[in-house]
């Protein structure tokens, strides 16, 4: 079912939309609102899949009701004022119905909306499945990375260090360097925290490869890996490294 809200300050307009939508078995009308404030509350609390929003309403208009939301439904603005079209699309409106619209135009908009909502649901499910697979790989001591269109399976125990390089992450494992278009946070979340330590916002090290740690008077530390690679660790991570190495 597609959870839907209808927002319009004119009751006849709401009645018409409800009458046209009720024949669609996939559409569930969760709420009708007659003002922008109620619409804003409904968008925040109900998190509908689909919203029909009138633009020109007293106090809070439809554009303001949806502006700034981090989670937005598929939005179809409905209004009698064509000049609002540009403002609506500036807010990434998905569709726009100009009153008085024909029944066929509404059905066309609903049909396309359902396609897009179903596609979003599939995409979300795939993303969740991907995260589950990543967690499973991490539990098995493997970090899958995409390099030049190929999937490379790195053993976590072989990864020495990782640094951020502009739009890429540089991973060094067994004297081989891989450049991956991914964020440090994403990579860090897939590593074993008992072995990998983020010593700087742009650096992660595998403590199994640490050869020497030398503190500075400033509170920072100098970290030397077995392969000769040198890093400076911020003082905020010093205690964590000491704990992992059994020194505190």
């Amino acid at each position: 079912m597609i959870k839907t809200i209808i927002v319009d300050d004119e009751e006849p307009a709401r009645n018409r939309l409800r009458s046209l939508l009720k024949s669609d078995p996939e559409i569930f009308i969760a709420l009708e609102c007659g003002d922008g404030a109620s619409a804003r509350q409904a968008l925040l609390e109900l998190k509908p899949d689909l919203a029909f929003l009138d633009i020109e309403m007293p106090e809070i208009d439809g554009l303001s009701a949806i502006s700034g939301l981090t989670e937005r439904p598929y939005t179809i603005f409905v209004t009698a004022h064509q000049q609002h079209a540009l403002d609506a699309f500036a807010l990434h409106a998905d569709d726009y119905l100009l009153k008085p619209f024909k029944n066929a135009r509404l059905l066309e908009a609903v049909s396309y909306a359902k396609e897009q909502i179903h596609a979003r649901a599939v995409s979300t499910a795939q993303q969740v499945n991907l995260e589950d697979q990543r967690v499973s790989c991490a539990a098995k001591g493997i970090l899958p990375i995409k390099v030049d269109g190929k999937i490379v399976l790195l053993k976590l125990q072989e990864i020495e260090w990782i640094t951020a390089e502009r739009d890429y992450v540089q991973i060094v494992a067994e004297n081989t360097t891989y450049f991956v278009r991914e964020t440090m946070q994403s990579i860090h979340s897939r590593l074993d925290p008992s072995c990998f330590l983020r010593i700087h916002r742009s650096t992660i090290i595998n403590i199994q490869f640490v050869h020497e740690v030398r503190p500075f008077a400033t509170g920072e530390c100098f970290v030397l890996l077995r392969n000769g690679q040198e890093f400076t660790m911020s003082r905020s991570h010093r205690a964590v490294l000491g704990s992992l190495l059994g020194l505190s």
Side-chain angles (χ1 to χ4, degrees):
M1 298 291 286
I2 295 176
K3 192 192 308 182
T4 304
I5 65 170
I6 297 173
V7 182
D8 199 304
D9 62 332
E10 298 179 356
E11 185 175 357
R14 297 199 304 272
N15 291 341
R16 185 186 176 207
L17 276 172
R18 185 192 330 112
S19 176
L20 292 171
L21 293 172
K22 70 179 182 180
S23 60
D24 191 321
E26 292 186 74
I27 300 294
F28 165 62
I29 300 176
L31 189 67
E32 295 181 26
C33 303
D35 60 83
S38 299
R40 179 79 175 186
Q41 195 70 17
L43 290 165
L44 289 169
E45 295 180 356
L46 294 180
K47 293 182 171 34
D49 305 303
L50 174 62
F52 289 88
L53 280 178
D54 185 17
I55 291 182
E56 197 160 282
M57 294 183 290
E59 298 182 13
I60 300 178
D61 60 26
L63 296 175
S64 300
I66 202 167
S67 177
L69 293 180
T70 54
E71 293 184 49
R72 292 185 180 181
Y74 186 97
T75 306
I76 300 176
F77 283 104
V78 186
T79 183
H81 304 279
Q82 190 169 9
Q83 67 268 27
H84 291 314
L86 290 178
D87 292 334
F89 283 111
L91 278 173
H92 307 291
D94 296 292
D95 208 340
Y96 185 96
L97 296 179
L98 186 63
K99 299 177 182 177
F101 53 83
K102 295 182 179 179
N103 293 359
R105 174 67 182 94
L106 172 67
L107 297 178
E108 175 189 343
V110 171
S111 177
Y112 186 72
K114 291 194 295 184
E115 289 179 11
Q116 297 305 304
I117 291 168
H118 291 319
R120 288 180 186 178
V122 170
S123 177
T124 299
Q126 290 175 339
Q127 185 63 35
V128 170
N129 184 52
L130 176 60
E131 290 303 319
D132 288 343
Q133 291 175 355
R134 286 179 170 179
V135 170
S136 177
C137 285
K140 296 174 183 176
I142 296 172
L143 177 69
I145 58 173
K146 189 173 182 180
V147 181
D148 297 330
K150 300 176 294 185
I151 302 297
V152 177
L153 303 181
L154 296 180
K155 293 182 180 179
L156 293 180
Q157 63 186 22
E158 296 173 351
I159 298 174
E160 300 172 38
W161 50 272
I162 303 168
T163 56
E165 294 286 339
R166 295 184 180 179
D167 296 332
Y168 291 84
V169 169
Q170 179 183 3
I171 302 175
V172 175
E174 288 197 316
N175 299 318
T176 301
T177 301
Y178 303 89
F179 289 94
V180 183
R181 198 173 185 85
E182 196 167 341
T183 65
M184 284 288 280
Q185 183 58 39
S186 175
I187 291 289
H188 191 217
S189 68
R190 294 156 57 194
L191 300 173
D192 182 352
S194 67
C195 296
F196 290 89
L197 176 65
R198 191 166 185 173
I199 63 172
H200 188 273
R201 66 178 183 179
S202 62
T203 308
I204 297 171
I205 61 170
N206 185 339
I207 63 171
Q208 298 176 88
F209 290 91
V210 174
H211 174 68
E212 181 179 300
V213 179
R214 188 188 317 140
F216 293 145
T218 59
E220 297 179 327
C221 282
F222 169 85
V223 180
L224 176 66
L225 302 189
R226 294 175 190 169
N227 63 0
Q229 185 69 37
E230 301 175 354
F231 295 104
T232 299
M233 179 175 64
S234 63
R235 89 171 111 183
S236 61
H237 293 94
R238 180 175 173 178
V240 178
L241 178 60
S243 177
L244 288 174
L245 294 175
L247 301 177
S248 62

